[in-house]
Amino acid sequence: MLQIDVITLFPEMIEGAASFGVLGQAMKSDLLRVTSHTPREFANDRHRTVDDRPFGGGDGMIMLAEPLEKSLQKVQHKNSKVIYMSPQGDVLTDKLARELSKEEHLVILCGRYGGIDQRIINEYVDQEISIGDYVLSGGELGALVVIDAVSRFIPGVLGHDESADKDSFSEGLLEHPNFTRPREYLGEEVPEVLLSGNHKRIGEWKVKVSALVTLVKRPDLFQAWLESENEKYRALKKKKTGTPLAELKKFWFNLSLDDRKVLGLT
């Protein structure tokens, strides 16, 4: 079971969000444990002060080092990985989430105000993580994003161990569009191949559709995927088939206009 301890000034934010949906079910099944701690517990004045003005001036207050250090010492052990949510950190990716899911214990430190005393980062933090190039009021929302992304790779959390491997980004591509009943809705029909029952054909079709969706929505990801596929093509020396790009173009031209529309590719 993965244990995640979150150090935050607002433990109710973490505890509340973690009690719903996939996270809530994972905790009930003892596949994941999320516990929050407040550094106010270690404040040394009657007002439970956890921040102060920065040396040298500047906007915002800085979270005090001592309450944070004592909070970390309360939960940290030799197998802990300490993460600080920061816009300066490594951007969270599918790959990083998968790696973090293999840890035994994660400690996520959430800043507030103008941030935390740098000396805590220097001495205790193993990795800074960002969820994007923007600034939030605190690290709690980012911590919840990390927890949710990581939990999906814990065996048993999603019910089917293959589910996470079929999501967007798992193979370098965005996920293909999905459909359910009824077959026809708003004048658009589900592509015929999805009703064929031919699982091999459906699987190959979905990969090509994923590639097209990625090309349209995330050309940067598509280019990286295409380079990887070209390497595989050259390694296998496939002389009887076209290049990956040529095969994808052929697939595109064979798609009906109705299928292009329902797939969101027009």
Side-chain angles (χ1 to χ4, degrees):
M1 178 177 63
L2 175 61
Q3 169 72 38
I4 302 178
D5 285 287
V6 184
I7 297 175
T8 167
L9 293 180
F10 300 100
E12 59 275 12
M13 286 183 66
I14 303 298
E15 294 167 0
S19 65
F20 293 97
V22 170
L23 292 179
Q25 289 301 317
M27 292 177 67
K28 289 178 182 178
S29 302
D30 291 327
L31 298 171
L32 172 72
R33 180 178 293 129
V34 179
T35 308
S36 57
H37 312 267
T38 174
R40 292 191 188 279
E41 176 184 351
F42 300 102
N44 54 21
D45 67 342
R46 65 188 181 92
H47 298 294
R48 303 178 75 192
T49 303
V50 293
D51 63 324
D52 206 341
R53 294 175 181 174
F55 285 123
D59 295 332
M61 304 288 276
I62 303 300
M63 292 181 69
L64 292 166
E66 185 177 2
L68 292 174
E69 181 180 33
K70 289 182 176 179
S71 297
L72 286 165
Q73 291 173 342
K74 174 185 175 182
V75 299
Q76 189 180 17
H77 56 71
K78 65 178 183 179
N79 294 324
S80 302
K81 183 181 181 71
V82 179
I83 294 167
Y84 174 50
M85 301 307 304
S86 165
Q88 300 179 16
D90 300 320
V91 176
L92 180 67
T93 62
D94 188 76
K95 179 182 178 182
L96 178 54
R98 189 185 294 268
E99 292 172 355
L100 293 175
S101 72
K102 298 175 183 178
E103 296 287 341
E104 178 182 321
H105 181 216
L106 297 177
V107 179
I108 304 179
L109 179 56
C110 301
R112 275 274 157 179
Y113 314 123
I116 70 173
D117 193 300
Q118 179 66 34
R119 290 167 291 190
I120 291 297
I121 299 174
N122 298 343
E123 295 298 322
Y124 287 94
V125 172
D126 297 307
Q127 185 174 18
E128 295 181 57
I129 292 180
S130 167
I131 60 169
D133 293 336
Y134 47 88
V135 178
L136 299 174
S137 301
E140 288 78 13
L141 293 176
L144 287 168
V145 170
V146 170
I147 294 168
D148 193 288
V150 167
S151 70
R152 298 174 65 81
F153 293 109
I154 300 174
V157 167
L158 295 182
H160 299 282
D161 290 342
E162 295 180 355
S163 295
D165 294 328
K166 294 180 180 179
D167 287 338
S168 290
F169 306 112
S170 59
E171 296 296 331
L173 294 172
L174 301 181
E175 189 179 15
H176 53 78
N178 291 291
F179 307 91
T180 187
R181 295 179 294 177
R183 178 177 176 179
E184 188 273 332
Y185 193 71
L186 296 175
E188 299 180 8
E189 289 193 15
V190 174
E192 186 68 32
V193 64
L194 296 177
L195 309 173
S196 68
N198 187 329
H199 296 295
K200 182 176 183 295
R201 183 185 172 205
I202 291 172
E204 294 171 347
W205 183 90
K206 285 183 175 180
V207 170
K208 286 186 169 60
V209 171
S210 289
L212 290 173
V213 170
T214 307
L215 173 60
V216 172
K217 296 183 176 181
R218 287 291 302 275
D220 57 324
L221 291 179
F222 175 81
Q223 188 59 41
W225 172 82
L226 185 60
E227 290 174 3
S228 174
E229 290 300 300
N230 284 334
E231 288 181 7
K232 295 176 186 178
Y233 174 82
R234 288 189 291 268
L236 294 174
K237 297 181 179 179
K238 289 184 175 181
K239 301 299 182 182
K240 294 183 180 181
T241 61
T243 65
L245 185 57
E247 290 294 305
L248 191 60
K249 286 181 178 179
K250 180 180 178 181
F251 177 78
W252 167 254
F253 287 125
N254 286 333
L255 275 179
S256 69
L257 293 178
D258 286 341
D259 281 356
R260 293 181 189 182
K261 180 181 179 182
V262 77
L263 291 170
L265 295 173
T266 56

